[in-house]
């Protein structure tokens, strides 16, 4: 079953090319799944409450595990375009926190942020990737506001802070999911590289192309993870 976002009360509508805007309900094997075809970003002008509203809906519908993916710029010199990076931690650089304001009763006022990305799911992904011959890298994801891509100096700065990949999504949704007690697995498609000696220009179209090329591999990995849960 597919429900367009505009038919759902209080749901934002994605304005980004490549994000069509539907909630999809169905089965993957024997597991009930809910998927978002298109997401919302802070840089579109939405507040954090709107960006993370779908996670609140998922919680109310009984979702126990969240799989979140994104396209990201790589800052680790061993990364290659098209790599899949399992997110082991994140650095939140957004100017507004998704839990700012009155506390929702889904979690504590001051949630602990250790092991936000579930270690058991990360271990499972590594085992499946080894079996399937999929190259997986691990790293820290830096979440920034956007919508500009980073300058070479910014890439280098975020790498010095401990980041391995950088993007404009994921962190707000993951924080809210963690606050709701939802297990989370995050993965980034490395669609471009920055901060190295040779400057590399990047466009939204090139990011989309790299993400589309990596999608079948990522789908194969996540499909088996869902079936194992």
């Amino acid at each position: 079953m597919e429900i367009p976002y505009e038919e759902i009360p209080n749901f934002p509508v994605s304005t980004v090319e490549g994000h069509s805007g539907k909630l999809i309900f169905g089965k993957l094997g024997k597991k009930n799944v809910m998927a978002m075809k298109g997401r919302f970003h802070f840089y579109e002008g939405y507040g954090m409450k709107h960006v993370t509203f779908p996670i609140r809906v998922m919680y109310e519908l009984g979702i126990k595990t969240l799989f979140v993916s994104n396209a990201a710029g790589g800052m680790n010199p061993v990364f290659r375009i098209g790599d899949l990076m399992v997110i082991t931690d994140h650095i939140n650089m957004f100017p507004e926190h998704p839990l700012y304001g009155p506390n929702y009763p889904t979690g504590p006022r001051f949630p602990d942020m250790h092991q936000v990305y579930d270690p058991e799911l990360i271990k499972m992904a590594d085992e499946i990737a080894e079996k399937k011959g999929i190259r997986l890298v691990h790293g820290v994801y830096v979440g920034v506001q956007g919508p500009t891509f980073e300058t070479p100096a910014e890439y280098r700065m975020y790498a010095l802070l401990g980041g391995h990949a950088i993007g404009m999504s994921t962190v707000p949704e993951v924080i809210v999911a963690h606050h709701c007690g939802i297990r989370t697995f995050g993965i980034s498609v490395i669609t471009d590289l920055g901060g190295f000696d040779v400057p590399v220009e990047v466009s939204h179209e090139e990011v989309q192309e790299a993400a589309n090329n990596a999608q079948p591999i990522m789908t194969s990995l996540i499909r088996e993870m869902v079936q194992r849960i």
Side-chain angles (χ1 to χ4, degrees):
M1 179 176 68
E2 297 184 356
I3 306 175
Y5 290 162
E6 56 265 25
E7 295 181 9
I8 305 172
N10 301 315
F11 230 76
V13 177
S14 180
T15 65
V16 183
E17 182 182 350
H19 292 248
S20 62
K22 295 178 181 178
L23 272 188
I24 301 173
F25 297 86
K27 282 187 175 291
L28 189 58
K30 296 182 179 180
K31 300 293 193 309
N32 293 319
V33 297
M34 170 185 172
M36 292 180 65
K37 192 172 184 181
R39 75 197 313 168
F40 317 113
H41 305 80
F42 190 68
Y43 65 74
E44 294 177 76
Y46 292 120
M48 281 299 182
K49 296 293 188 292
H50 290 98
V51 170
T52 58
F53 182 69
I55 304 299
R56 299 291 183 189
V57 173
M58 291 179 186
Y59 170 77
E60 295 297 335
L61 291 173
I63 298 297
K64 303 298 183 186
T65 305
L66 174 70
F67 289 84
V68 61
S69 64
N70 59 59
M75 300 178 286
N76 188 323
V78 306
F79 287 0
R80 304 193 295 252
I81 290 178
D83 272 348
L84 298 178
M85 186 194 85
V86 174
I87 303 174
T88 56
D89 203 348
H90 70 233
I91 299 173
N92 182 14
M93 299 299 294
F94 284 93
E96 180 183 328
H97 198 282
L99 300 182
Y100 177 78
N103 187 48
Y104 286 87
T106 56
R109 170 75 280 188
F110 304 105
D112 180 81
M113 296 300 289
H114 287 85
Q115 294 188 332
V116 174
Y117 300 88
D118 191 276
E120 292 182 4
L121 294 177
I122 293 173
K123 180 180 178 182
M124 182 192 299
D126 288 337
E127 292 172 352
I128 294 170
E130 183 176 3
K131 183 185 75 172
K132 290 179 174 287
I134 297 172
R135 171 180 160 90
L136 278 189
V137 294
H138 287 200
V140 176
Y141 177 85
V142 182
V144 296
Q145 173 178 306
T148 52
F149 291 111
E150 289 66 44
T151 68
E154 287 170 337
Y155 271 120
R156 291 192 292 271
M157 177 188 71
Y158 288 124
L160 286 172
L161 290 176
H164 300 102
I166 188 166
M168 308 169 195
S169 66
T170 301
V171 170
E173 299 100 307
V174 167
I175 289 173
V176 171
H178 187 65
H179 186 254
C180 291
I182 298 173
R183 299 172 71 200
T184 300
F185 176 80
I187 191 165
S188 297
V189 180
I190 304 302
T191 53
D192 60 280
L193 301 169
F196 308 129
D197 293 335
V198 180
V200 179
E201 292 187 5
V202 61
S203 69
H204 182 62
E205 290 73 22
E206 290 171 326
V207 168
Q208 281 187 300
E209 181 180 0
N212 290 338
N213 291 338
Q215 183 177 346
I217 302 171
M218 183 172 63
T219 299
S220 173
L221 174 69
I222 293 178
R223 181 188 297 273
E224 183 158 341
M225 290 183 70
V226 171
Q227 291 173 347
R228 288 192 184 190
I229 292 175

